[in-house]
Amino acid sequence: LRVGLMFAFYVAVVAKTARDPAMTIGAMIMVVQAMKLACTALAGVARAAGSFYADSLFFEDLVEFLKLQPTLQATGTPVSAVPLLQQSVEFRSVSFAYPAAESRVLEDVSFRIESGERIAVVGENGAGKTTLVKLLARLYDPCTGSIEVDGIDLRGIPPEEWQQNMAVIFQDFVRYHLSVRENIAFGDLTKPDSDEALLKAARLSGADRTLAALPQGLDAKLGKEFSDGHEISGGEWQKIALARAFLRDARLLILDEPTASLDPKQEFETFQRFGELAQGKTVVFVSHRLSTVRTADRILVMDKGRLVETGTHDELMAADGVYAALFTRQAAGYQDHPAQHDNPSASDPS
């Protein structure tokens, strides 16, 4: 339509110039140029109006979001959350389905974690591993059953108090396009901006090598949004995210696929450092690489939303069940491609 109208206008101007002796070629060109500028201006107004309308729809969503109230509250008589994790965390017949979902992700899950234990959670994709740690972090409450901390129902503890006792890194961690200092410091905003603490956290996560390669060190900006920003690899971003968790002096560490973006050698080195931080803390970590879970005190095996096995690596291998099948399958993959793996623990088939 626009092209048709413009063509008709040009034909009318040419015809007018041909018929009217007072209409010069210069006047015709001026009229055509004025029309083009007017069309461009009108198109800009139309685009701005469309953009404003689209933005207004998002603004309505923002207003609705800001009106939302927290759904997780301390129920009954609030219980002081200090000190916590002195004894244990226990799941009692926990079942869970996400809002508006038809089927349950977890079904009748029960287990106990003693204070100071290192627990690994394994299973195939969709087994409910990430959902399990989200419930432990109290991002959701169980549909049925309960989670008890030192014998206290987690729903009786204010969420903010419980979450002050933990450090969590999920597999979909955030990449903040800010300085390295800010990226790590977000792990605990209550701590003073101490270079010593930040560098220690970076060393524990393996991000110290990334820092050494950046001219400005902790003050280097990450991301190409900055003219002097640095673009780092996915594995290096993951080490920065791990440093956030290591900065926080938490009694409970929850790590969901904490080394998914690292190669086997880097993963091995990270877990070697991790032992220094985990002393005296309760640790729950999810991993698909079974070579890392062998270091756990106990392994929980999930299958289709249920806890089907629990025990040490040797106990589960002897049971010849789900875990043994997963381990054997993964070990066969490593044996088929030995040249691709430069893990120092090469004798570990997984």
Side-chain angles (χ1 to χ4, degrees):
L1 178 61
R2 178 189 172 190
V3 173
L5 291 174
M6 290 293 293
F7 180 76
F9 172 78
Y10 291 148
V11 170
V13 170
V14 171
K16 173 70 173 175
T17 303
R19 291 196 309 267
D20 189 349
M23 188 75 169
T24 64
I25 297 296
M28 181 189 74
I29 293 174
M30 181 187 70
V31 171
V32 170
Q33 291 297 328
M35 185 60 178
K36 289 180 64 176
L37 290 173
C39 288
T40 301
L42 287 173
V45 170
R47 282 194 298 270
S51 178
F52 178 78
Y53 175 73
D55 291 344
S56 70
L57 298 179
F58 287 104
F59 183 75
E60 290 176 7
D61 291 340
L62 175 62
V63 171
E64 291 300 316
F65 174 75
L66 295 175
K67 288 180 180 178
L68 293 175
Q69 297 297 318
T71 57
L72 297 179
Q73 302 285 350
T75 59
T77 304
V79 179
S80 173
V82 181
L84 283 173
L85 289 170
Q86 300 296 311
Q87 302 169 23
S88 65
V89 178
E90 186 170 3
F91 277 58
R92 291 177 174 267
S93 302
V94 168
S95 296
F96 177 76
Y98 285 101
E102 296 181 359
S103 58
R104 290 182 171 181
V105 183
L106 297 179
E107 188 70 53
D108 195 27
V109 174
S110 298
F111 62 90
R112 180 184 175 96
I113 304 173
E114 300 297 337
S115 177
E117 251 192 316
R118 292 182 58 174
I119 299 295
V121 184
V122 304
E124 296 186 340
N125 289 335
K129 305 182 298 297
T130 295
T131 300
L132 190 77
V133 297
K134 285 182 176 179
L135 289 175
L136 181 57
R138 211 189 167 199
L139 300 182
Y140 301 94
D141 280 334
C143 296
T144 61
S146 64
I147 303 172
E148 296 185 359
V149 181
D150 298 341
I152 303 168
D153 192 320
L154 192 55
R155 286 169 289 205
I157 302 172
E160 61 277 7
E161 292 191 26
W162 167 240
Q163 289 163 2
Q164 285 175 2
N165 288 271
M166 68 181 68
V168 185
I169 289 293
F170 290 112
Q171 54 187 313
D172 52 347
F173 58 89
V174 179
R175 305 181 184 195
Y176 298 104
H177 286 191
L178 298 166
S179 70
V180 178
R181 178 186 302 279
E182 290 166 311
N183 262 277
I184 299 177
F186 284 156
D188 191 348
L189 296 176
T190 64
K191 282 191 173 182
D193 190 2
S194 164
D195 284 8
E196 181 181 354
L198 298 177
L199 291 172
K200 179 181 178 182
R203 180 178 60 81
L204 289 170
S205 71
D208 52 342
R209 295 180 183 176
T210 302
L211 277 174
L214 297 174
Q216 298 86 13
L218 286 171
D219 295 314
K221 293 182 175 64
L222 301 180
K224 287 301 183 181
E225 279 75 3
F226 303 100
S227 58
D228 57 344
H230 301 271
E231 192 59 56
I232 59 178
S233 69
E236 290 171 319
W237 272 114
Q238 187 156 42
K239 291 177 182 179
I240 295 290
L242 277 169
R244 281 201 291 272
F246 293 170
L247 178 69
R248 195 177 183 89
D249 187 20
R251 296 187 58 81
L252 172 63
L253 294 176
I254 300 176
L255 306 174
D256 182 13
E257 294 288 350
T259 54
S261 298
L262 306 183
D263 61 40
K265 180 179 180 180
Q266 292 175 326
E267 181 183 50
F268 175 79
E269 293 172 349
T270 298
F271 271 92
Q272 289 290 98
R273 295 186 180 99
F274 180 66
E276 178 183 338
L277 177 72
Q279 292 296 326
K281 300 181 185 296
T282 304
V283 182
V284 178
F285 66 94
V286 176
S287 180
H288 279 98
R289 291 177 181 168
L290 301 187
S291 58
T292 61
V293 307
R294 295 181 66 170
T295 63
D297 298 323
R298 199 152 42 95
I299 302 168
L300 308 182
V301 185
M302 301 293 297
D303 186 40
K304 298 178 182 177
R306 294 182 177 272
L307 178 61
V308 294
E309 295 175 347
T310 181
T312 65
H313 169 79
D314 291 338
E315 291 169 347
L316 293 174
M317 290 300 293
D320 197 23
V322 175
Y323 177 84
L326 289 172
F327 186 90
T328 303
R329 188 189 315 158
Q330 195 170 110
Y334 273 68
Q335 291 166 350
D336 290 342
H337 306 89
Q340 295 180 8
H341 303 282
D342 56 351
N343 190 323
S345 59
S347 60
D348 179 359
S350 67

